[in-house]
Amino acid sequence: IYSVRHFAESRYCFYWDKSLFKQLASYSGWNLFGAFSGVAKGQGLNMLINMFFGPSVNAARGIAYQVNGVVGSFFSNFYTAVRPQITKYYAQGDMANFYRLVINSSKMTFFLILLVSLPLIVEAPMIINLWLGQEPQYVVVFVRLIIMITAIDAMSTPLITAIHATGNNRLYQVCVGMIMIMTLPISYVFLKMGSSPVAVFLVSLCLSVISLFVRLLIASKQTGLPFARYAVQVVFRSILVAGMACILPWYLHDILDSSVLSTVLVCVVSVVSVLFFAYLLGFDSEERRKIHQNLIRRFVKRS
């Protein structure tokens, strides 16, 4: 009612634009192919694990995905706010802010996931034991690998939005969709050769890394996003922060006796370590200056 009263273009009318409908059908059709690829990968891997190892290993995979759901939900609210801004900047032709937001949101998404996932990765055995009262076979390694896959996929989510903003998603859906589907035959070959179920997740991890760079190449081609700038600012800094942040938590995990108290200590150290190295190594001087300004502004406002 508000729209009808205030915006003339919101009134209902019969409309026919063949070229526009063709574009919409093409866009939604290729998105459907991408969705099909994701479903085929997820359900296909379930079938492969059942074929070679039975439902007990598949149950371990399900438990691992439940833990991973906590990680995924942590960054979803943050990215929900970012997604429309990326599309808006591209539609306005404001490419400087478009590039800045794609790069910064990719980096921030990874750091947010690392903040939650590092304690889970390091202390997975104790956390699984506290949750289930036991440590089912493969659950710990599944949890660690699935969280790594989620972190890589989440890092590339702004690239997906950038590509979608152009309205031309055919190349992206074909390339990434085929990579996702290739998880099935490659995993089948490894399992047929006698590999453990861990091989399925290692294959998925490797293909997620490949998908990240394929998305970056396509986004660079279609939007002009600087490839080298993204690789250095996002990929290199993320690897550097993750590598440095995990040293002390892993060291404490190895030297301390397994207990609830040591788990809490390692989790706290993990969070502090991620925050410290993300600030020190993940951001440049200009980004750190803006962080200072925002913190001071919030502190002054509250006081």
Side-chain angles (χ1 to χ4, degrees):
I1 293 172
Y2 179 90
S3 298
V4 169
R5 290 182 60 185
H6 292 84
F7 304 105
E9 65 272 17
S10 68
R11 291 174 174 79
Y12 182 80
C13 63
F14 289 100
Y15 184 78
W16 184 264
D17 187 333
K18 186 176 179 180
S19 62
L20 177 60
F21 295 163
K22 184 178 179 180
Q23 292 177 14
L24 292 173
S26 173
Y27 183 85
S28 59
W30 287 114
N31 272 351
L32 182 63
F33 174 77
F36 168 78
S37 301
V39 172
K41 173 187 173 182
Q43 301 306 318
L45 292 180
N46 279 340
M47 294 172 63
L48 281 180
I49 291 174
N50 270 333
M51 286 169 56
F52 286 92
F53 303 102
S56 61
V57 177
N58 226 342
R61 180 176 183 266
I63 293 169
Y65 271 104
Q66 281 186 276
V67 176
N68 182 65
V70 176
V71 176
S73 63
F74 188 75
F75 84 95
S76 61
N77 289 336
F78 161 77
Y79 192 67
T80 298
V82 172
R83 184 187 294 113
Q85 292 295 317
I86 294 175
T87 304
K88 185 188 78 170
Y89 283 139
Y90 183 84
Q92 292 176 340
D94 188 353
M95 303 311 289
N97 279 322
F98 174 76
Y99 299 150
R100 176 188 57 79
L101 188 56
V102 170
I103 290 171
N104 287 348
S105 60
S106 295
K107 191 163 52 176
M108 284 298 299
T109 297
F110 182 84
F111 293 158
L112 284 172
I113 287 185
L114 185 63
L115 189 69
V116 179
S117 64
L118 186 57
L120 291 174
I121 290 173
V122 176
E123 286 296 325
M126 176 58 74
I127 292 171
I128 295 298
N129 269 305
L130 290 174
W131 179 31
L132 301 177
Q134 58 179 326
E135 186 183 319
Q137 189 180 20
Y138 297 119
V139 168
V140 170
V141 66
F142 284 1
V143 165
R144 288 169 172 168
L145 289 173
I146 289 172
I147 289 176
M148 291 179 190
I149 294 167
T150 298
I152 294 169
D153 289 342
M155 185 196 300
S156 62
T157 304
L159 294 174
I160 300 172
T161 303
I163 295 168
H164 283 177
T166 67
N168 181 15
N169 65 339
R170 179 174 64 180
L171 179 62
Y172 162 73
Q173 296 292 3
V174 169
C175 293
V176 176
M178 292 306 298
I179 291 172
M180 293 173 67
I181 292 175
M182 285 301 296
T183 306
L184 296 177
I186 296 173
S187 298
Y188 178 83
V189 170
F190 276 101
L191 295 179
K192 196 69 175 176
M193 293 169 59
S195 299
S196 75
V198 177
V200 171
F201 296 95
L202 291 174
V203 169
S204 294
L205 180 62
C206 292
L207 292 181
S208 289
V209 173
I210 294 172
S211 295
L212 169 64
F213 284 98
V214 169
R215 289 172 180 130
L216 177 55
L217 283 170
I218 295 173
S220 180
K221 177 182 177 181
Q222 294 186 352
T223 69
L225 179 71
F227 184 97
R229 180 181 167 191
Y230 186 97
V232 172
Q233 288 289 324
V234 179
V235 180
F236 174 74
R237 285 182 183 270
S238 296
I239 293 173
L240 185 61
V241 170
M244 296 300 294
C246 72
I247 292 175
L248 184 57
W250 274 114
Y251 175 74
L252 292 175
H253 173 76
D254 288 339
I255 65 171
L256 295 176
D257 294 332
S258 181
S259 66
V260 175
L261 184 61
S262 65
T263 297
V264 172
L265 175 62
V266 171
C267 289
V268 171
V269 170
S270 298
V271 171
V272 173
S273 185
V274 170
L275 291 173
F276 175 77
F277 285 107
Y279 175 81
L280 187 67
L281 305 175
F283 302 110
D284 57 32
S285 57
E286 178 63 21
E287 290 168 339
R288 287 196 291 270
R289 185 183 65 81
K290 290 181 178 179
I291 291 173
H292 291 162
Q293 290 177 345
N294 287 329
L295 290 175
I296 292 172
R297 191 181 302 118
R298 288 179 180 274
F299 178 77
V300 170
K301 186 181 294 184
R302 289 184 178 182
S303 60

